[in-house]
Amino acid sequence: MSANIAVEVDDVSKKFRLYHEKYYSLKERVLHLGNNSYEDFWALQDISFEVAEGQTVGILGRNGSGKSTLLKCMSGILQPTKGRIVVRGALAALLELGAGFQPELSGRENIFLNASLLGLSTKEVESRFDEIVAFAELENFIDNQVKYYSSGMYVRLGFAVAVNVDPDILVVDEVLAVGDENFQRKCMGRIKEFQNDGRTILFVTHSADLVRVICDNAAVLSSGKMIGYASAAEAVKLYHDHLLTLAPESAITASEPVSEIPAYRPVTITSVDLEHPGTGTRQHLLPGEPLTVRIGFEAFEPVADMVIAIEIHNQFNEMAYASDTEILGQQIDVPTGGGRADLTFDHIPFLDGKYFVAVELKSRPGIVFDRREMVPFEMLNPGRSRGTIALDFRVEIRTASLS
Amino acid sequence: MTEVRAEAGERSPGDQAARDDPSTLSRVEQRDKELAQRATRVAARGSKPTRIVSARVSVWLRLREMWRARELFVFLVRKEIKVKYKNSVLGFLWSMLNPALTLAVFYVLFTYFLPNGIPYFVIYMFSAMLVWNLFQAGLLTGTTSVVVNAGIVKKVAFPREILVLASVGSAFVYFFYQSLVMIGFMIAFHHGPAWSEMWLLIPALAAIVVFASALSIFLSAVNVYLRDTQHLVEVLLVAWFWAIPTVYAFSGRVHDSLQRHTILFIPHTKLIWLYFSNPVTPVVMTFQRVFFNIWNAQSTKLTPATPRIESIGPHVYKIVGTNPPFHAPLAVMAHYPIHWYVGADLAVLGVSILLFLGALMVFGHLEGNFAEEL
């Protein structure tokens, strides 16, 4: 039954030319006619799969695996070098929210412009105008110029227009990681609604968890090649297996100091390192593994009653955990000179996702001496359970015959 | 069992309330309607592909996609005009002031310092400037349109030719603003157009718009790969301006000087076609015919006849025309019949349509890599 195939990706390859130096002007082109050095780079190689109507399909892959290129080919922004993609139905691509907004125009004008850019007729926009504005929560600002919008308002308007295009096929790049929590929930709600309507959704992400939650099937890409197309759970497993085979790319190191450094700094943080059983061999932790946060510091004068605070945020910048040594009831007095503090978690209970550690040295009254943020670590869930935290549960079954 | 019943009992009043609430009702109805519409649309579409993305493109498909995006065209034109004059006090008045000031400069220059003696010179020149400004603005903004709108081109899929067409379209809107200035001048000078020949403007405008679009579509695609294009176009336009009879009389200067010279041993009278190979010229002349409307106007500036050497016998020559100086009044306009104008404009239009289709083909070829090159 080819009738209910919504998107057919047929042996698609895409070649990019990577110029060592790109010449745009005539003079440069003529001068460098002989040594026009470039490399061919295949961003996609022989990708074939079919998406049935009404399915939600995830495209999983690390950064640079060709996910976005594939999406751009599907939405017609890029043309494949080889092969073809057949799309049945109206397709709307959410590659970048608010792409094409004109800062000088008002929100109202931008809705019309952007919607027609996405292929909606004026009549359709008019009938949905109020809905779009309500969804974006911009009732009071709709006649203001978009350049005065906050980035959150901008993104909300972009999403509101895009989902109201009424597509048969919705292509979503990693755009949902923006906006506040409330808006994200709204976006997810809208996507669920789309699923219930029987629309086809293509979803690009590197969050395995999201795939497990909303996708029927998923394609796993790695450096331009498709290493598998299977049901969501299997694809996630495949993705994880694939990630586990990869060598650690870069060591996890501390970020730069934050900008708001207090004037009075008797102690500074010199380094923040994360250590876990896999340090040096892999980049991620498995649920339940221990994690040590090693803070190097240097005191310029003796500090009595120092407090070390630690926070863990998830990728949406929501706090997952926060505590400090004061809560633990631990007294820390530091003499002049360097030192090291190891904060050890015996079990990290998160499932998938990227997390960020922030540490802070402060006095007991709360004067911050120094702070480091955004020290990342990644959790990888090899199992098939979903959610955010790893819990154990037992099952006991009692039947009538036993009692 | 009782629990379940209690739950059901609780739910029904709430349901009732929701049904009674008119806003909820209309929303639910709206949604049902939308779903039904979607269902019919999906059914109507059947299994026919809506879009095939591949390396090959047909011109026919491009034209169809462009036609589908006609509303987008309107929005883009509106946007271009709004954004251009946003935050300026005089706003779109600038689109009229700008040519009016240029006109004033040329008027002073060619009336007092380099007099060309053309009666109603303002009208003569402005009727040419109307066409020229349309062509120039369309070509300049059209050529850069894809590069300027890189943000959209890289992120949204739509027929990109629309960007170019919208640039030409906004130039066309400015053309109408400027026509108002023209009307003002004509009233001020008590100078009426040739009402019975007004219809000549239609083929002329069609020709110049299609020609400008064809050229812009081609150049905008080339400009993505070779950014020299836009600068080259700017320079060429400066030269091009002097190749149309704007500040000089067509007959007086072009026709007569071409008749006096033999260039590369080609008989001079044939060379007039070199001048007309510029597709802007017939359109400009049509406008002058309609607005300037004095077909046998004569320049008040007398030009000395060029000395000629005449043979009056074997090995005997005489220089003719220098002593005494012979002054001849020069005709301003070409003395061509109406059908010449129609034919010339239609010829330009025909060639432009062919160029347009060719430009679409080139554009389609180059478009595939726009998103990477920008």
Side-chain angles (χ1 to χ4, degrees), chain B residues 301-366:
Chain B
K301 179 159 160 53
L302 300 177
T303 312
T306 318
R308 268 176 299 132
I309 297 167
E310 253 176 37
S311 159
I312 51 169
H315 307 292
V316 186
Y317 300 98
K318 182 189 168 195
I319 296 171
V320 184
T322 45
N323 194 24
F326 175 70
H327 295 271
L330 290 174
V332 174
M333 302 270 285
H335 294 179
Y336 293 128
I338 289 276
H339 58 76
W340 182 89
Y341 289 96
V342 179
D345 287 338
L346 288 182
V348 173
L349 181 62
V351 170
S352 299
I353 289 174
L354 290 181
L355 285 178
F356 188 82
L357 296 178
L360 280 186
M361 253 152 77
V362 175
F363 194 93
H365 253 292
L366 299 179

Side-chain angles (χ1 to χ4, degrees), chain A residues 3 14 16 22 24-26 29 53 72-80 83-89 95-96 99-100 102 104-105 109 112-113 116-118 121-122 145 147 166 168 193 197-199, chain B residues 30-31 34-35 38 41-42 45 47-55 57 62 71-72 75-76 79 82-83 86-87 152-158 160 224-228 364 367-369 371-373:
Chain A
K14 178 71 191 174
F16 285 126
K22 184 92 189 128
Y24 277 112
S25 81
L26 193 63
R29 286 230 167 154
E53 222 162 80
K72 280 187 179 168
C73 284
M74 280 184 199
S75 49
I77 293 167
L78 286 175
Q79 285 160 4
R84 60 177 202 160
I85 297 169
V86 181
V87 176
R88 293 189 183 85
L95 294 183
E96 189 182 293
Q102 290 293 323
E104 293 290 341
L105 298 182
E109 289 162 329
F112 279 93
L113 179 63
S116 72
L117 208 54
L118 295 172
S121 76
T122 318
Q145 283 180 331
K147 67 176 171 185
D166 191 26
D168 302 313
E193 206 173 280
D197 290 355
R199 299 180 210 230
Chain B
Q30 168 109 18
R31 180 132 187 79
E34 256 173 41
L35 283 181
R38 223 179 75 75
R41 214 176 57 222
V42 170
R45 198 182 62 235
S47 61
K48 231 173 75 199
T50 335
R51 187 195 278 158
I52 299 172
V53 185
S54 72
V57 274
R62 307 204 133 254
E71 281 190 35
L72 174 64
F75 280 120
L76 282 175
K79 172 219 112 188
K82 263 194 184 149
V83 169
K86 204 103 189 181
N87 299 330
I152 323 180
V153 172
K154 283 201 292 201
K155 295 287 175 189
V156 190
F158 64 100
R160 278 71 180 263
V224 173
Y225 297 87
L226 214 58
R227 302 288 161 86
D228 290 85
E367 187 196 16
N369 288 329
E372 316 157 28
E373 292 282 342

Side-chain angles (χ1 to χ4, degrees), chain B residues 217-293:
Chain B
I217 286 178
F218 171 73
L219 290 173
S220 67
V222 174
N223 193 36
V224 173
Y225 297 87
L226 214 58
R227 302 288 161 86
D228 290 85
T229 314
Q230 61 198 69
H231 307 298
L232 204 65
V233 167
E234 272 172 43
V235 174
L236 280 179
L237 278 171
V238 173
W240 204 329
F241 173 75
W242 298 99
I244 54 167
T246 342
V247 295
Y248 53 86
F250 166 74
S251 286
R253 285 279 170 239
V254 182
H255 204 267
D256 291 7
S257 52
L258 281 178
Q259 260 178 5
R260 282 200 302 268
H261 297 291
T262 305
I263 301 169
L264 293 174
F265 310 105
I266 304 169
H268 47 257
T269 39
K270 297 257 171 70
L271 273 175
I272 197 74
W273 294 106
L274 197 69
Y275 191 73
F276 284 123
S277 65
N278 170 10
V280 188
T281 306
V283 179
V284 164
M285 288 173 68
T286 311
F287 266 67
Q288 283 170 338
R289 163 118 197 176
V290 173
F291 287 115
F292 182 60
N293 189 22

